[in-house]
Amino acid sequence: MTAASLSVKGISKSFSGLRAVDSVSFEVKAGSIQALIGPNGAGKTTIFNVIAGAFPPDTGDILLDGQSLGGKRADQICRAGVGRTFQIVRPFNDLTVEENVAIGALVWTDDVKEARDYANEVLKLLGLDDKRTARPTGITLPDRKCLEVARALATKPKILLLDEVMAGLRPTETDRMVNVFRKLNNETGVTILLIEHVMRAVMALSSHIVVVNYGKVIAEGTPEIVTRDPDVLACYLGAEAVH
């Protein structure tokens, strides 16, 4: 698995006259873990949807390792190396954990055995190998969150977009996920861009943070710089900043 850089260049997206994303630009370095944060409704998931090809930007472009993703369908962007998770975890409950992950691998192989073998490698990496024969309904919420990551990881992404995968977890469960993502980044080198409200996780993982509000980038930099930015404190972090 290789890492890729991502360049978001002046993307905008409107829905029924409402501009959800307004001329957003930022860079994600290959092999890094970076975060995209901001209040609810700030446009974060819309940015992910544009990157992943759920819908095209009205303006601007997305570059993966310098190559434009413009005009590509979501499945083509996935094959190019962009994997993503979703806020609401919706596995195939009639399939086993292993089968859920193997479906992701079928993006790059038609060989079901190869897909299953790779799925088991991913499950072992994420600490889910002992759950491979279970149904998603029979595992814990943290394990279902890991399963969502595993399904995306099975597509062999160069960059992984994680959309609030730690929402609803207890602090100890959050710490477990932080360790999973550190291990994932260290052992595979995959680039990670995460949307997250759990600042405990953001501070522990991210080397660089981009902050959006009302669809615009209002600040970016290291965690230390961003968490002391007056605009960020006013619109989002407040007194709880890094606690």
Side-chain angles (χ1 to χ4, degrees), residues 55-68:
F55 35 70
D58 298 332
T59 63
D61 199 5
I62 309 291
L63 305 180
L64 185 69
D65 269 349
Q67 300 297 309
S68 174

Side-chain angles (χ1 to χ4, degrees), residues 1-239:
M1 197 174 296
T2 57
S5 62
L6 184 77
S7 298
V8 176
K9 296 189 172 295
I11 63 168
S12 297
K13 187 66 187 177
S14 296
F15 300 97
S16 302
L18 175 65
R19 181 154 290 195
V21 178
D22 190 356
S23 301
V24 165
S25 297
F26 60 87
E27 303 285 330
V28 182
K29 294 181 180 179
S32 67
I33 301 179
Q34 298 185 201
L36 182 64
I37 69 171
N40 288 326
K44 304 181 298 297
T45 295
T46 301
I47 292 170
F48 266 24
N49 283 334
V50 171
I51 294 171
F55 35 70
D58 298 332
T59 63
D61 199 5
I62 309 291
L63 305 180
L64 185 69
D65 269 349
Q67 300 297 309
S68 174
L69 299 178
K72 293 184 182 297
R73 302 186 308 266
D75 62 301
Q76 294 172 323
I77 290 174
C78 179
R79 287 184 175 90
V82 178
R84 71 166 299 182
T85 66
F86 294 85
Q87 286 183 23
I88 300 173
V89 178
R90 287 177 177 165
F92 299 106
N93 288 325
D94 291 336
L95 302 180
T96 66
V97 165
E98 178 192 286
E99 290 166 340
N100 266 272
V101 180
I103 287 173
L106 292 173
V107 164
W108 52 266
T109 181
D110 294 326
D111 186 324
V112 174
K113 182 181 184 303
E114 185 178 22
R116 283 181 176 274
D117 289 345
Y118 192 74
N120 281 297
E121 288 181 29
V122 171
L123 290 172
K124 185 174 182 180
L125 179 65
L126 297 182
L128 288 176
D129 45 321
D130 61 335
K131 311 288 196 317
R132 66 186 186 85
T133 61
R135 294 290 194 273
T137 51
I139 61 177
T140 64
L141 175 61
D143 283 343
R144 288 198 300 276
K145 298 275 190 177
C146 275
L147 174 58
E148 178 76 358
V149 176
R151 295 202 304 167
L153 197 60
T155 66
K156 290 191 175 180
K158 297 176 182 177
I159 182 167
L160 190 57
L161 310 179
L162 302 176
D163 196 349
E164 294 192 39
V165 293
M166 285 170 271
L169 299 183
R170 302 185 190 93
T172 54
E173 295 167 342
T174 296
D175 291 344
R176 174 197 164 188
M177 293 296 284
V178 165
N179 289 332
V180 164
F181 297 138
R182 278 184 182 146
K183 179 181 180 183
L184 183 59
N185 179 252
N186 288 335
E187 295 190 9
T188 71
V190 66
T191 308
I192 295 175
L193 177 62
L194 59 99
I195 292 174
E196 194 53 68
H197 286 294
V198 182
M199 288 306 296
R200 174 193 189 97
V202 171
M203 295 296 291
L205 286 169
S206 306
S207 60
H208 189 88
I209 298 174
V210 177
V211 188
V212 293
N213 192 28
Y214 293 112
K216 294 184 177 184
V217 174
I218 63 167
E220 66 174 298
T222 64
E224 293 75 20
I225 290 173
V226 165
T227 53
R228 288 165 176 76
D229 186 289
D231 291 336
V232 178
L233 291 169
C235 80
Y236 183 53
L237 298 179

